[in-house]
Structures are given as C-alpha cells and as structure tokens.
Amino acid sequence: MDIVLVTTIIASLFLVIGAAEPLAARLRLPYSVILATLGILIGASATFFLQTELTDALNPVAEAILALPIRSNVFLYVFLPTLLFQATLGMNLRRMLDDWVPILVLAIVAVVVATLSVGYALAWASALPLAACLLIGAIVSTTDPSAVVSIFRSISAPQRLTRIIEGESLLNDAAAIALFGLFMGFVMLGVPDPELSDAVAQFPVLIAGGALTGWLAARLAVWIMAIVNQHELAQLSISVALPYLAYIGAEQMIGASGVIAVVAAGITMNLTAPGRLPPQTWTNLRELWGVLAHWAGALIFILAALLIPRLLEEVRLGDFALVAVVVLAAIAARAVILFGLLPILSFFGTSPPVERPYRVVILWGGLRGALTLALALAVTESFRIPVETKRLVGILATGFTLFTLIVQGTTLRWVIRRLGLDRLSPIDEALSRQVIAVALQTVREYVATTTENYDLSRDIVRSEAKRFSTRLDDAVKSAEDSADILDRDRITLGLIALAGQERDTILLRVRDRTISARIAEQVLSDAERLIEGARTQGRSGYQRAARRSISYGRTFRMAVFLHNRVRLSRPLALMTADRFELLLSQRLILRDLGDFIQARIRRIHGRRVADLLQDLLSRRNDAIETALEGLRLQYPGYAEELEQRFIRRTALRIEEREYTAMRDDGLIGAEVFTTLMQDIAGRRILEEVRPNLDIALQRAELIRQLPLFADLDEAAQKRLGRALKTRYVNADDIVVRKDSPARNVFFIASGAVELVTARQTLLLGRGEMFGQMAVLSKKNPRAMVRAIAPSTFLVLDETRFRRLLERSNSLRNAVRASAEKRGIPPSQIMPGAAE
C-alpha cells in the first residue's frame, strides 16, 4: 500500500476527530456516538464508491480505506493500553480506594451476570451451542462509561457516583477479556476443550501475575525517571513506553492479564511518581497522556466503526430477533445489578446510596464501545471458529453496539431531562448565587488594585465602578435573600464554600512548592472529602471528614503491626514522617481561611453562620495542634527539621519570583536568568529530600524523657525499649473496656485519656499510666478508658511490668500516688507499699 496514501488517510482521520467534538457539542450528543457515526459513514462510503460505476477516481482512496490493517491485535496492543493507563493516571486513587468494595463487586459481578444472562437467553433463542452464546455474552458485557460520566459532570452529579462508574469500567474490561479467553477455548475447532476447574484455577494467576508485572514495571520506570530528574523529555518518553511493555510482558512472557498489568502500572505510577518527580513534570506527563488517550479513544472508535459495514454484510432477517434478545438480556442483567445488588450494598453501608433517577440513567447509558467490536473482530479473524459462529458473533456484537450508540446514546439527554436531573436543586441554585457573589467581590478587589496602575480617565473608572457595584449588590442581595433556604442549608453552603477555598489554597501552595508533591494528593483528597461531606451530610459530614483527615488509618495501623511484630520499621517511619508533614501543611492552610470567612461568608450568610464556621475552623485547628504536639513529644526535634525545610522551600520560591520579576523588567538578561534558575533548581532538589525519621532512636529518647523511667540506667532503658510496644488510637476510641481481662499496662507517650469509674472521672495525660491497678490486684478493670485526643501509648505486658516495678523506685512511687488519687489503699495492690 502506498505510504503517501496511508499517511493522507490517517491525517484525514485526525481532521475528522477535530470536527467530531464541536459537532457533538452542537448536536448535544455523546462524543462516541458522533465518532461511531462518522466511522460508519466513511466505511459505507468507501464500499459504495468501490462498487459503483459512477466514478473510478475515488477507487484508490476507497481501496486504501478498506485495506487499512485493522486487526483485533491493533486495538488490544496499541490502543487499549493507552486508554487504560491514562484512565488510572487521571483518577484520584486515594478517593477511589474509599469505594473499592462497590467498584470491585460491580465490575466483576456485573460482567458475570451480563455474560450468563445474554448467554443463556441466546442459547434458548438460537441454535448456537451454549459456549458460543456465553462467548457472545462476555463480548457484550463490558461498558464504556464516557457518555454517562461526561453528562453526570455537566449536571453536577455526586462525585462519588462518578468515581464508582469510572472504577467499574476500568476493571470490567479485565473481567470481560478473561471470560472471553475462557469461552474462546470451548468454541475453537481442533483444540481440546479446557477443563473448567483448570480455567478457574488460572484466574488467580492472570490477576496476580498481571498485578505483579505492572507493579514491578512501574517501580522500575519511576526509579529510572527519578535518576534522569533533570531531563523532562526523557521522563515523558519512559512513561510512554511503560504501559506497552507491561502489557506485552504480562501477556507474552508470563501468560498473565495484560489489562491488569497496565492498570497496576498506572496505579503504581499515580501513587509513587508525584513524590519522585518535579510537580511541573508530573503535570506535563498527565497532560501528555490526556492527549494520547484522546487520540487513541477517537481512533479506536472510528477504525472500529469502519469495520461495521463489513461485519454486517451477511445479516439475515432472523438475526434482528437475536439482536433484540441480546439487547433485552443485557439491559435486564444491568437492571439486576443497579436495582438489586446496588441497594443491598447501600443497605450494608459498603456503597453510597444511589437515587433511582441516577440508576435509570446509568442503566440507559450503558453504552458499548470499541472493545466490544475489537473482541468480536478477534473471533471473526480466527480460522478455528466455525463459520456460522463467526457470522453470528460479528452480527450480534455489532448490532448490539449500534443499538446502544444510536438508540440509547441519542436519547440519553432526553431521559435525563424527563427525570429532572438537568435542573438544579434549591441548595445548588443557592450555591450558584453564592459563587457569583463571591467571585464578583474578588473581581472588584482585583479591579480596584489594578486600575490604579493605569492612566485612565477618572470619569470612565467611576462610571464602570458604579456599573459593576450595581451588579455586585444585586448578586449579594440575591444570595442573601434566598428565602427558600433554611439556616441549616446556609451553614452547608458556607461549609462548601470554605472547603472549596481550602482546596484552592492547597493548589496555590502546591504550585508555589511550599507543599511537597509527596503529600499534595493526600491533602487534596482530604479537601475533596470535606466538600463532599458538606454537600451530602452538612455539618456532620464536614466534621466527620475533618476528623478522618488527622486520624490513624488502617494502613498506619498495619505499619505499626509490622514494626511491632516483624521488626520492619521503614513503613511506620515513612508514614509517621508523612503524618508530620501533613499536619504541618494543614495547620498552614487553615490559618489562611479565617480571613475568607470574614471577608466572604460573613457578608453573604450573616454573622451567625460566619461565627459558627469560625468555631468549626478553630476546633479543627485545636485538633491539629493536639495531634502535632503529640508527635512532637513522641519524636522531639523532627517537627523542627520539617519546619526549617518549609522555610527554606519558601525562601527558594520567593527568590525565584524575584529573579523572574527582574528578567521581566529587563534588569537581567536571559543568560543570567538561566544561570540563576539552574542554581535554584539544584538547591531545590536538595530541599525536596525529606529528613529521615529513625523510630528506634526516637523511642529511646522518649523513654529517657518520661519521668516514670528516670531512675533506670541506660542498659535497662534499652531493654525496656525493646519490650515496649506502641499503640496508636484516635479520639473517642475505647482503649480499655470495663470488666475486660487485665493483661497490659499503658504509658501515655502523647495525647490524653478519660478514665471513668462508678465514682469518679479522671483525666490522664502524657507521662501517666493506666491499667496498673487491675494488673496488680489481679482483677478485671472496674473502669472504662477512652481516648479524648489522638494518642500514642507504650504498652507493657503484666510479667515485664512486675519485674520493672521491682527495679524502679520512680515507678513504685507513681503507682502509690495513683492508688491514693483514686482512694485505693496502696497496701491492697502492693505489699509493703505503706512502709
């Protein structure tokens, strides 16, 4: 084939891609529907011009279009890795992990249910063997959520709902391809049918092997990219190679799932690369992959649509009935998931409640895309598949895809309008009015400061200021006079605005590099949880998200377990250092929000709402200070090192701004500026390296600081350090339950607890202990102990505590004083204590 002609055709396809997006926006149709329609028209036109005698001038072009080397492997090895990898890079994985249960269940169960539903329905309605029917079911079971997600974003649907749909689509491709490979083996001629037990046993290998391959490939890629840190183009090139090598390595070398490998590689890079790459490089990398995925997604739709006329060449009248069976069975299977399984998950709290209108839209928006056509093409290309099976697979998969694109895709917005999802709720309308008022106030302040720098006529400035003030007053009055908004909703609106401002402040700090890229994603995820919590549950949701942002999570507890049980301290050291940096960043950010409450929210929502929000902000500040002070006490000196690092990073940013301003003012030339910026870049690399936290040394220092262990010699303190175990608890956690077995004594390293008995309530803080009374009296505790702040305890078992008590006068005196404080004669718990 002439290379000039092929290049011309591919370049022309890019012109089609460029025209498709504005056309879709103008016609208010999903982008994928327009692409598929254009692809079908191109393919049908090429066939028409080749067969008609009207003109022969276009025959070479038509022949070139129809002879394009479009094979199923092109879709699976060229386009699919690009789409999957970009999808993982573009996702907020920390937020998606919050919903891993519904995502995993929906992705796997939905594919299995759809495969079985379509397969058994076709087996009942056609003469095809059951294995071939199940093969068709696997082919049509994967969904393309792009249309639904884009529309959900345009109507401000809950973000959590959108994340679940995206996550489900990302993983159901792997499940569908795995089932496709299983049933393909049963319908191929000349190949022994695989044993079902062997096939089922192969699934863990497919998943685990793919995940391990992707993880190793991504870790190696990130390591190499960190080495070539000064060469951005090299880093981008490595990222382009990663998904393809992971896919090919998993598929061809170890026989695992290439899809899982690419997803695992993308997840690994998403979680690790931001902390190893410069922020601008990471931003450019994601933008590059966004462009590549846009082109790949568009090309895969157009090229797959070019094949549709060819796949439908042998269609018969009876095939339309079978297409209807596939459509009904697939829709019924998805309805079972959405209206059966999803409410059950919501009932047990593993999935967010999804309102019925949204479930209807998800059901009707279950469009099928190019992957369905690619799998069908793989069947039609195989010479081992019976001819009739190949014909029906091509026709049914193509017919079903066309139905979802042409019927469901073109009517999706109409369904949304009928359900009323295109109309804002009262609270969203009030929020929009508030946003306008806040934005106009910001504009007025900016205009007032910038117009002073220009030599403009005072009359013009005065007339425009008067005109703008009228618009601003109307916007503020509209926001204030929302009579249909309750005070509770005004608080919610204020919290949403406050959380939004917090997110904007974080982004500004990230751009200024005063917040490191390592924790930027986590801080942004916490801010998004605040926004989502305020939107869905008001004040209680906001407070719950705020508490979560400083609590000890499951991964932290797992790191503590590894440290205590396996003596693997590195995960705990890294997570503790992350916690230090996170708390310091949150404290920095919250201090910028007080002015926003007074300048913006107070004017719109009044003094009461502003004071309430200020009180919530103060409580968050106090909680962060308490958690930070606990860490300072536990790891003395480390917070100071991080604060010094923050000051140096801030100074570098200010220095960079000064040099940029001097260049813009013409005070320094390009060569001098480049030299200065290279110097700053070198110093910034040094400041990006965070100080190491040595937990072992810090624990020894902590033991020396506690007065209870002051009279122990150095050897005894080292032995005690090895015997003590660390336990972290969140505020309101129950540490010791009443009447539970007495086995341990707790020393408070940081934080505070509340000890509640039938007669009194005691507050204990750093350096104090509890549990010793029950251990020494050999009775179950008569008190309940609850943490009133994020706390860290050093825990000693009964045997070691008794041995320590015999050697330490300070500890015996503390036990005696504690007994007297609670009204217990010391002689009851320590023989000879009264002496």
Side-chain angles (χ1 to χ4, degrees), residues 217-245:
R219 295 290 295 183
L220 178 61
V222 172
W223 178 70
I224 296 174
M225 292 166 74
I227 292 177
V228 294
N229 201 37
Q230 296 298 308
H231 306 280
E232 182 176 312
L233 293 179
Q235 295 173 322
L236 298 180
S237 302
I238 293 169
S239 75
V240 172
L242 172 60
Y244 297 102
L245 294 179

PDB file of all heavy atoms in Angstrom, residues 217-245:
ATOM      1  N   ALA A 217       7.113  -3.174  36.813  1.00  0.00           N
ATOM      2  CA  ALA A 217       7.455  -2.306  35.678  1.00  0.00           C
ATOM      3  C   ALA A 217       7.341  -0.836  36.071  1.00  0.00           C
ATOM      4  O   ALA A 217       8.208  -0.016  35.711  1.00  0.00           O
ATOM      5  CB  ALA A 217       6.543  -2.625  34.493  1.00  0.00           C
ATOM      6  N   ALA A 218       6.301  -0.477  36.799  1.00  0.00           N
ATOM      7  CA  ALA A 218       6.120   0.924  37.190  1.00  0.00           C
ATOM      8  C   ALA A 218       7.172   1.370  38.198  1.00  0.00           C
ATOM      9  O   ALA A 218       7.681   2.495  38.122  1.00  0.00           O
ATOM     10  CB  ALA A 218       4.717   1.122  37.764  1.00  0.00           C
ATOM     11  N   ARG A 219       7.494   0.518  39.160  1.00  0.00           N
ATOM     12  CA  ARG A 219       8.528   0.872  40.128  1.00  0.00           C
ATOM     13  C   ARG A 219       9.870   1.101  39.443  1.00  0.00           C
ATOM     14  O   ARG A 219      10.593   2.046  39.763  1.00  0.00           O
ATOM     15  CB  ARG A 219       8.658  -0.236  41.181  1.00  0.00           C
ATOM     16  CG  ARG A 219       7.440  -0.420  42.057  1.00  0.00           C
ATOM     17  CD  ARG A 219       7.217   0.717  43.008  1.00  0.00           C
ATOM     18  NE  ARG A 219       8.271   0.831  43.993  1.00  0.00           N
ATOM     19  CZ  ARG A 219       8.279   1.723  44.976  1.00  0.00           C
ATOM     20  NH1 ARG A 219       7.262   2.575  45.099  1.00  0.00           N
ATOM     21  NH2 ARG A 219       9.271   1.775  45.842  1.00  0.00           N
ATOM     22  N   LEU A 220      10.198   0.225  38.465  1.00  0.00           N
ATOM     23  CA  LEU A 220      11.443   0.394  37.727  1.00  0.00           C
ATOM     24  C   LEU A 220      11.414   1.682  36.910  1.00  0.00           C
ATOM     25  O   LEU A 220      12.402   2.428  36.857  1.00  0.00           O
ATOM     26  CB  LEU A 220      11.662  -0.815  36.819  1.00  0.00           C
ATOM     27  CG  LEU A 220      12.912  -0.787  35.927  1.00  0.00           C
ATOM     28  CD1 LEU A 220      14.168  -0.730  36.787  1.00  0.00           C
ATOM     29  CD2 LEU A 220      12.942  -1.997  35.010  1.00  0.00           C
ATOM     30  N   ALA A 221      10.268   1.964  36.277  1.00  0.00           N
ATOM     31  CA  ALA A 221      10.153   3.175  35.466  1.00  0.00           C
ATOM     32  C   ALA A 221      10.299   4.427  36.320  1.00  0.00           C
ATOM     33  O   ALA A 221      11.006   5.374  35.941  1.00  0.00           O
ATOM     34  CB  ALA A 221       8.820   3.178  34.725  1.00  0.00           C
ATOM     35  N   VAL A 222       9.648   4.452  37.476  1.00  0.00           N
ATOM     36  CA  VAL A 222       9.736   5.621  38.357  1.00  0.00           C
ATOM     37  C   VAL A 222      11.162   5.798  38.864  1.00  0.00           C
ATOM     38  O   VAL A 222      11.667   6.929  38.976  1.00  0.00           O
ATOM     39  CB  VAL A 222       8.732   5.489  39.519  1.00  0.00           C
ATOM     40  CG1 VAL A 222       8.947   6.595  40.545  1.00  0.00           C
ATOM     41  CG2 VAL A 222       7.302   5.536  38.999  1.00  0.00           C
ATOM     42  N   TRP A 223      11.824   4.690  39.162  1.00  0.00           N
ATOM     43  CA  TRP A 223      13.218   4.757  39.627  1.00  0.00           C
ATOM     44  C   TRP A 223      14.115   5.368  38.556  1.00  0.00           C
ATOM     45  O   TRP A 223      14.947   6.243  38.837  1.00  0.00           O
ATOM     46  CB  TRP A 223      13.684   3.353  40.002  1.00  0.00           C
ATOM     47  CG  TRP A 223      15.120   3.298  40.446  1.00  0.00           C
ATOM     48  CD1 TRP A 223      15.653   3.792  41.610  1.00  0.00           C
ATOM     49  CD2 TRP A 223      16.219   2.721  39.712  1.00  0.00           C
ATOM     50  NE1 TRP A 223      17.007   3.554  41.648  1.00  0.00           N
ATOM     51  CE2 TRP A 223      17.388   2.893  40.500  1.00  0.00           C
ATOM     52  CE3 TRP A 223      16.316   2.068  38.492  1.00  0.00           C
ATOM     53  CZ2 TRP A 223      18.630   2.441  40.085  1.00  0.00           C
ATOM     54  CZ3 TRP A 223      17.555   1.608  38.081  1.00  0.00           C
ATOM     55  CH2 TRP A 223      18.695   1.797  38.864  1.00  0.00           C
ATOM     56  N   ILE A 224      13.952   4.922  37.310  1.00  0.00           N
ATOM     57  CA  ILE A 224      14.754   5.474  36.218  1.00  0.00           C
ATOM     58  C   ILE A 224      14.408   6.945  35.990  1.00  0.00           C
ATOM     59  O   ILE A 224      15.294   7.782  35.761  1.00  0.00           O
ATOM     60  CB  ILE A 224      14.527   4.658  34.931  1.00  0.00           C
ATOM     61  CG1 ILE A 224      15.017   3.218  35.124  1.00  0.00           C
ATOM     62  CG2 ILE A 224      15.259   5.294  33.757  1.00  0.00           C
ATOM     63  CD1 ILE A 224      14.706   2.310  33.958  1.00  0.00           C
ATOM     64  N   MET A 225      13.125   7.278  36.054  1.00  0.00           N
ATOM     65  CA  MET A 225      12.714   8.669  35.848  1.00  0.00           C
ATOM     66  C   MET A 225      13.287   9.582  36.926  1.00  0.00           C
ATOM     67  O   MET A 225      13.608  10.742  36.673  1.00  0.00           O
ATOM     68  CB  MET A 225      11.186   8.757  35.821  1.00  0.00           C
ATOM     69  CG  MET A 225      10.566   8.084  34.599  1.00  0.00           C
ATOM     70  SD  MET A 225       8.786   7.813  34.745  1.00  0.00           S
ATOM     71  CE  MET A 225       8.190   9.482  34.537  1.00  0.00           C
ATOM     72  N   ALA A 226      13.410   9.067  38.149  1.00  0.00           N
ATOM     73  CA  ALA A 226      14.000   9.870  39.222  1.00  0.00           C
ATOM     74  C   ALA A 226      15.495  10.092  38.980  1.00  0.00           C
ATOM     75  O   ALA A 226      16.042  11.136  39.341  1.00  0.00           O
ATOM     76  CB  ALA A 226      13.777   9.183  40.571  1.00  0.00           C
ATOM     77  N   ILE A 227      16.152   9.118  38.359  1.00  0.00           N
ATOM     78  CA  ILE A 227      17.587   9.269  38.072  1.00  0.00           C
ATOM     79  C   ILE A 227      17.813  10.377  37.045  1.00  0.00           C
ATOM     80  O   ILE A 227      18.730  11.191  37.173  1.00  0.00           O
ATOM     81  CB  ILE A 227      18.166   7.927  37.573  1.00  0.00           C
ATOM     82  CG1 ILE A 227      18.167   6.893  38.717  1.00  0.00           C
ATOM     83  CG2 ILE A 227      19.591   8.121  37.033  1.00  0.00           C
ATOM     84  CD1 ILE A 227      18.654   5.534  38.303  1.00  0.00           C
ATOM     85  N   VAL A 228      16.953  10.403  35.999  1.00  0.00           N
ATOM     86  CA  VAL A 228      17.085  11.433  34.954  1.00  0.00           C
ATOM     87  C   VAL A 228      16.192  12.619  35.283  1.00  0.00           C
ATOM     88  O   VAL A 228      15.461  13.132  34.430  1.00  0.00           O
ATOM     89  CB  VAL A 228      16.755  10.842  33.561  1.00  0.00           C
ATOM     90  CG1 VAL A 228      17.773   9.807  33.169  1.00  0.00           C
ATOM     91  CG2 VAL A 228      15.351  10.216  33.548  1.00  0.00           C
ATOM     92  N   ASN A 229      16.279  13.073  36.518  1.00  0.00           N
ATOM     93  CA  ASN A 229      15.348  14.080  37.024  1.00  0.00           C
ATOM     94  C   ASN A 229      15.434  15.410  36.292  1.00  0.00           C
ATOM     95  O   ASN A 229      14.467  16.173  36.263  1.00  0.00           O
ATOM     96  CB  ASN A 229      15.615  14.304  38.519  1.00  0.00           C
ATOM     97  CG  ASN A 229      14.424  14.909  39.224  1.00  0.00           C
ATOM     98  OD1 ASN A 229      13.287  14.574  38.919  1.00  0.00           O
ATOM     99  ND2 ASN A 229      14.675  15.802  40.165  1.00  0.00           N
ATOM    100  N   GLN A 230      16.588  15.701  35.685  1.00  0.00           N
ATOM    101  CA  GLN A 230      16.777  16.991  35.019  1.00  0.00           C
ATOM    102  C   GLN A 230      16.356  16.971  33.556  1.00  0.00           C
ATOM    103  O   GLN A 230      16.483  17.977  32.865  1.00  0.00           O
ATOM    104  CB  GLN A 230      18.250  17.398  35.119  1.00  0.00           C
ATOM    105  CG  GLN A 230      18.729  17.638  36.537  1.00  0.00           C
ATOM    106  CD  GLN A 230      17.981  18.782  37.199  1.00  0.00           C
ATOM    107  OE1 GLN A 230      17.882  19.873  36.656  1.00  0.00           O
ATOM    108  NE2 GLN A 230      17.441  18.523  38.377  1.00  0.00           N
ATOM    109  N   HIS A 231      15.887  15.826  33.063  1.00  0.00           N
ATOM    110  CA  HIS A 231      15.571  15.688  31.648  1.00  0.00           C
ATOM    111  C   HIS A 231      14.104  15.283  31.500  1.00  0.00           C
ATOM    112  O   HIS A 231      13.760  14.104  31.520  1.00  0.00           O
ATOM    113  CB  HIS A 231      16.497  14.667  30.994  1.00  0.00           C
ATOM    114  CG  HIS A 231      17.949  14.956  31.202  1.00  0.00           C
ATOM    115  ND1 HIS A 231      18.640  15.883  30.448  1.00  0.00           N
ATOM    116  CD2 HIS A 231      18.843  14.465  32.107  1.00  0.00           C
ATOM    117  CE1 HIS A 231      19.894  15.938  30.855  1.00  0.00           C
ATOM    118  NE2 HIS A 231      20.053  15.093  31.864  1.00  0.00           N
ATOM    119  N   GLU A 232      13.246  16.292  31.356  1.00  0.00           N
ATOM    120  CA  GLU A 232      11.811  16.037  31.350  1.00  0.00           C
ATOM    121  C   GLU A 232      11.380  15.202  30.150  1.00  0.00           C
ATOM    122  O   GLU A 232      10.539  14.319  30.279  1.00  0.00           O
ATOM    123  CB  GLU A 232      11.051  17.364  31.367  1.00  0.00           C
ATOM    124  CG  GLU A 232       9.541  17.189  31.419  1.00  0.00           C
ATOM    125  CD  GLU A 232       8.821  18.508  31.536  1.00  0.00           C
ATOM    126  OE1 GLU A 232       9.209  19.331  32.399  1.00  0.00           O
ATOM    127  OE2 GLU A 232       7.865  18.722  30.771  1.00  0.00           O
ATOM    128  N   LEU A 233      11.948  15.463  28.977  1.00  0.00           N
ATOM    129  CA  LEU A 233      11.548  14.719  27.789  1.00  0.00           C
ATOM    130  C   LEU A 233      11.897  13.236  27.936  1.00  0.00           C
ATOM    131  O   LEU A 233      11.149  12.364  27.462  1.00  0.00           O
ATOM    132  CB  LEU A 233      12.223  15.304  26.545  1.00  0.00           C
ATOM    133  CG  LEU A 233      11.774  16.719  26.151  1.00  0.00           C
ATOM    134  CD1 LEU A 233      12.533  17.201  24.929  1.00  0.00           C
ATOM    135  CD2 LEU A 233      10.273  16.751  25.885  1.00  0.00           C
ATOM    136  N   ALA A 234      13.017  12.947  28.591  1.00  0.00           N
ATOM    137  CA  ALA A 234      13.365  11.550  28.840  1.00  0.00           C
ATOM    138  C   ALA A 234      12.341  10.895  29.769  1.00  0.00           C
ATOM    139  O   ALA A 234      11.942   9.743  29.554  1.00  0.00           O
ATOM    140  CB  ALA A 234      14.765  11.461  29.440  1.00  0.00           C
ATOM    141  N   GLN A 235      11.909  11.626  30.783  1.00  0.00           N
ATOM    142  CA  GLN A 235      10.908  11.082  31.704  1.00  0.00           C
ATOM    143  C   GLN A 235       9.587  10.819  30.995  1.00  0.00           C
ATOM    144  O   GLN A 235       8.944   9.780  31.208  1.00  0.00           O
ATOM    145  CB  GLN A 235      10.707  12.057  32.872  1.00  0.00           C
ATOM    146  CG  GLN A 235      11.938  12.206  33.744  1.00  0.00           C
ATOM    147  CD  GLN A 235      11.779  13.308  34.786  1.00  0.00           C
ATOM    148  OE1 GLN A 235      11.190  14.346  34.506  1.00  0.00           O
ATOM    149  NE2 GLN A 235      12.308  13.090  35.964  1.00  0.00           N
ATOM    150  N   LEU A 236       9.170  11.744  30.134  1.00  0.00           N
ATOM    151  CA  LEU A 236       7.921  11.545  29.399  1.00  0.00           C
ATOM    152  C   LEU A 236       8.037  10.343  28.460  1.00  0.00           C
ATOM    153  O   LEU A 236       7.088   9.572  28.302  1.00  0.00           O
ATOM    154  CB  LEU A 236       7.583  12.806  28.612  1.00  0.00           C
ATOM    155  CG  LEU A 236       7.335  14.086  29.425  1.00  0.00           C
ATOM    156  CD1 LEU A 236       7.004  15.244  28.500  1.00  0.00           C
ATOM    157  CD2 LEU A 236       6.226  13.889  30.441  1.00  0.00           C
ATOM    158  N   SER A 237       9.197  10.172  27.843  1.00  0.00           N
ATOM    159  CA  SER A 237       9.387   9.047  26.933  1.00  0.00           C
ATOM    160  C   SER A 237       9.311   7.719  27.673  1.00  0.00           C
ATOM    161  O   SER A 237       8.729   6.748  27.176  1.00  0.00           O
ATOM    162  CB  SER A 237      10.736   9.177  26.219  1.00  0.00           C
ATOM    163  OG  SER A 237      10.821  10.394  25.503  1.00  0.00           O
ATOM    164  N   ILE A 238       9.886   7.671  28.869  1.00  0.00           N
ATOM    165  CA  ILE A 238       9.819   6.444  29.672  1.00  0.00           C
ATOM    166  C   ILE A 238       8.376   6.122  30.035  1.00  0.00           C
ATOM    167  O   ILE A 238       7.947   4.959  30.009  1.00  0.00           O
ATOM    168  CB  ILE A 238      10.692   6.592  30.930  1.00  0.00           C
ATOM    169  CG1 ILE A 238      12.169   6.676  30.531  1.00  0.00           C
ATOM    170  CG2 ILE A 238      10.463   5.438  31.900  1.00  0.00           C
ATOM    171  CD1 ILE A 238      13.083   7.074  31.667  1.00  0.00           C
ATOM    172  N   SER A 239       7.602   7.151  30.362  1.00  0.00           N
ATOM    173  CA  SER A 239       6.198   6.912  30.724  1.00  0.00           C
ATOM    174  C   SER A 239       5.404   6.374  29.540  1.00  0.00           C
ATOM    175  O   SER A 239       4.487   5.565  29.715  1.00  0.00           O
ATOM    176  CB  SER A 239       5.559   8.201  31.242  1.00  0.00           C
ATOM    177  OG  SER A 239       5.271   9.103  30.181  1.00  0.00           O
ATOM    178  N   VAL A 240       5.749   6.797  28.315  1.00  0.00           N
ATOM    179  CA  VAL A 240       5.048   6.298  27.134  1.00  0.00           C
ATOM    180  C   VAL A 240       5.358   4.816  26.914  1.00  0.00           C
ATOM    181  O   VAL A 240       4.485   4.037  26.508  1.00  0.00           O
ATOM    182  CB  VAL A 240       5.432   7.127  25.893  1.00  0.00           C
ATOM    183  CG1 VAL A 240       4.879   6.500  24.627  1.00  0.00           C
ATOM    184  CG2 VAL A 240       4.924   8.557  26.031  1.00  0.00           C
ATOM    185  N   ALA A 241       6.573   4.408  27.194  1.00  0.00           N
ATOM    186  CA  ALA A 241       6.953   3.003  26.990  1.00  0.00           C
ATOM    187  C   ALA A 241       6.341   2.086  28.040  1.00  0.00           C
ATOM    188  O   ALA A 241       6.100   0.898  27.761  1.00  0.00           O
ATOM    189  CB  ALA A 241       8.475   2.876  27.011  1.00  0.00           C
ATOM    190  N   LEU A 242       6.089   2.596  29.235  1.00  0.00           N
ATOM    191  CA  LEU A 242       5.697   1.750  30.364  1.00  0.00           C
ATOM    192  C   LEU A 242       4.464   0.880  30.104  1.00  0.00           C
ATOM    193  O   LEU A 242       4.535  -0.345  30.273  1.00  0.00           O
ATOM    194  CB  LEU A 242       5.506   2.624  31.610  1.00  0.00           C
ATOM    195  CG  LEU A 242       4.916   1.927  32.837  1.00  0.00           C
ATOM    196  CD1 LEU A 242       5.792   0.782  33.285  1.00  0.00           C
ATOM    197  CD2 LEU A 242       4.705   2.927  33.969  1.00  0.00           C
ATOM    198  N   PRO A 243       3.304   1.427  29.728  1.00  0.00           N
ATOM    199  CA  PRO A 243       2.113   0.564  29.628  1.00  0.00           C
ATOM    200  C   PRO A 243       2.246  -0.510  28.558  1.00  0.00           C
ATOM    201  O   PRO A 243       1.745  -1.627  28.733  1.00  0.00           O
ATOM    202  CB  PRO A 243       0.990   1.549  29.300  1.00  0.00           C
ATOM    203  CG  PRO A 243       1.671   2.750  28.723  1.00  0.00           C
ATOM    204  CD  PRO A 243       2.992   2.824  29.409  1.00  0.00           C
ATOM    205  N   TYR A 244       2.931  -0.197  27.458  1.00  0.00           N
ATOM    206  CA  TYR A 244       3.065  -1.186  26.391  1.00  0.00           C
ATOM    207  C   TYR A 244       3.974  -2.330  26.813  1.00  0.00           C
ATOM    208  O   TYR A 244       3.680  -3.505  26.559  1.00  0.00           O
ATOM    209  CB  TYR A 244       3.599  -0.509  25.129  1.00  0.00           C
ATOM    210  CG  TYR A 244       2.654   0.534  24.596  1.00  0.00           C
ATOM    211  CD1 TYR A 244       2.895   1.885  24.807  1.00  0.00           C
ATOM    212  CD2 TYR A 244       1.497   0.178  23.915  1.00  0.00           C
ATOM    213  CE1 TYR A 244       2.020   2.854  24.336  1.00  0.00           C
ATOM    214  CE2 TYR A 244       0.622   1.136  23.440  1.00  0.00           C
ATOM    215  CZ  TYR A 244       0.888   2.466  23.656  1.00  0.00           C
ATOM    216  OH  TYR A 244       0.015   3.422  23.200  1.00  0.00           O
ATOM    217  N   LEU A 245       5.087  -2.014  27.464  1.00  0.00           N
ATOM    218  CA  LEU A 245       5.987  -3.071  27.918  1.00  0.00           C
ATOM    219  C   LEU A 245       5.331  -3.908  29.015  1.00  0.00           C
ATOM    220  O   LEU A 245       5.524  -5.131  29.060  1.00  0.00           O
ATOM    221  CB  LEU A 245       7.293  -2.456  28.421  1.00  0.00           C
ATOM    222  CG  LEU A 245       8.152  -1.754  27.355  1.00  0.00           C
ATOM    223  CD1 LEU A 245       9.400  -1.163  27.986  1.00  0.00           C
ATOM    224  CD2 LEU A 245       8.517  -2.720  26.245  1.00  0.00           C
TER     225      LEU A 245
END
